[in-house]
Amino acid sequence: NIYSLLPERWRARNPVITSVGRLDKDTSGLLLLTDQSQLVHRLTSPKHKVPKTYHASLDREPPAGLTELFASGTLTLEGDKQPCAPATLTMRSPREATLILTEGKYHQVRRMFASQGCEVLTLHRPQFGDLTLNELAPGNWRELPLDTFALES
C-alpha cells in the first residue's frame, strides 16, 4: 500500500497521514497525503466541487451524445440512488478521453463509461484541483507547503 512507501517518521505521525480521495489499484496518477483533516474535507467534500481530471483509454469508441449525457447531471449509475454530478468529457481521439469530475463515487469513471458500453483500459489522474503531476515520475513524491491550498470556505 502507499503508506509503506512513506518515510518512517511520517508513518508514525500523530495525527496520522491519510489520503485525500483514493485511486484503485488499476489507476495511476496524483494522490495527495496529509495529516490536515480540514484539508481532506475541503478537497473531498462534494459541496466544494474540487475538480479531478482523469485520462482514460477505452476499448471502443463511445456512443454519440456521451459528452452531453455526462454533462447533464442525469446519469445514475447502477446501485446508486443519486445521479452523478455534471462532468466534463473531452474526447482527445476516438478512444482517448479526458473526464473532469467534481465528486468521487466508487470507481466512478470506470462505471460511467461502462454504463454506456465502454470498458476503461487505462486510467490516469494527472490533476487534482489546481495541483498537477507535472514531470513527477511514477512512484515519486514531493512535499508541498500547506499554504499551497486555500483553506477558506
Side-chain angles (χ1 to χ4, degrees):
N1 69 34
I2 59 166
Y3 300 104
S4 67
L5 301 174
L6 295 175
E8 177 57 38
R9 71 182 194 282
W10 287 13
R11 287 182 282 177
R13 289 186 60 92
N14 187 8
V16 298
I17 299 289
T18 188
S19 66
V20 178
R22 60 197 177 278
L23 293 176
D24 65 44
K25 67 179 182 169
D26 297 321
T27 303
S28 62
L30 192 150
L31 183 64
L32 299 168
L33 302 172
T34 185
D35 65 355
Q36 302 291 314
S37 60
Q38 182 183 6
L39 178 61
V40 173
H41 175 74
R42 170 70 180 88
L43 294 175
T44 59
S45 172
K47 78 176 188 174
H48 293 292
K49 297 182 177 12
V50 175
K52 290 154 285 284
T53 302
Y54 295 87
H55 293 167
S57 62
L58 309 174
D59 69 333
R60 64 185 50 141
E61 193 170 337
L66 196 59
T67 299
E68 294 78 12
L69 175 63
F70 285 4
S72 71
T74 62
L75 176 65
T76 302
L77 300 174
E78 185 176 336
D80 289 354
K81 292 182 178 162
Q82 297 295 320
C84 296
T88 303
L89 173 65
T90 305
M91 296 305 299
R92 298 181 321 216
S93 74
R95 293 185 182 184
E96 299 291 323
T98 296
L99 186 61
I100 302 173
L101 306 175
T102 57
E103 61 184 347
K105 294 182 178 190
Y106 177 76
H107 290 197
Q108 184 173 351
V109 174
R110 293 178 191 280
R111 292 171 60 217
M112 287 175 74
F113 282 109
S115 77
Q116 304 305 304
C118 297
E119 180 183 354
V120 173
L121 301 176
T122 63
L123 187 59
H124 179 74
R125 180 169 65 196
Q127 188 167 350
F128 195 120
D130 291 333
L131 292 176
T132 61
L133 285 174
N134 293 329
E135 301 302 316
L136 194 63
N140 288 336
W141 57 273
R142 68 176 179 253
E143 259 184 90
L144 299 171
L146 189 55
D147 64 2
T148 299
F149 306 95
L151 292 179
E152 53 286 333
S153 295

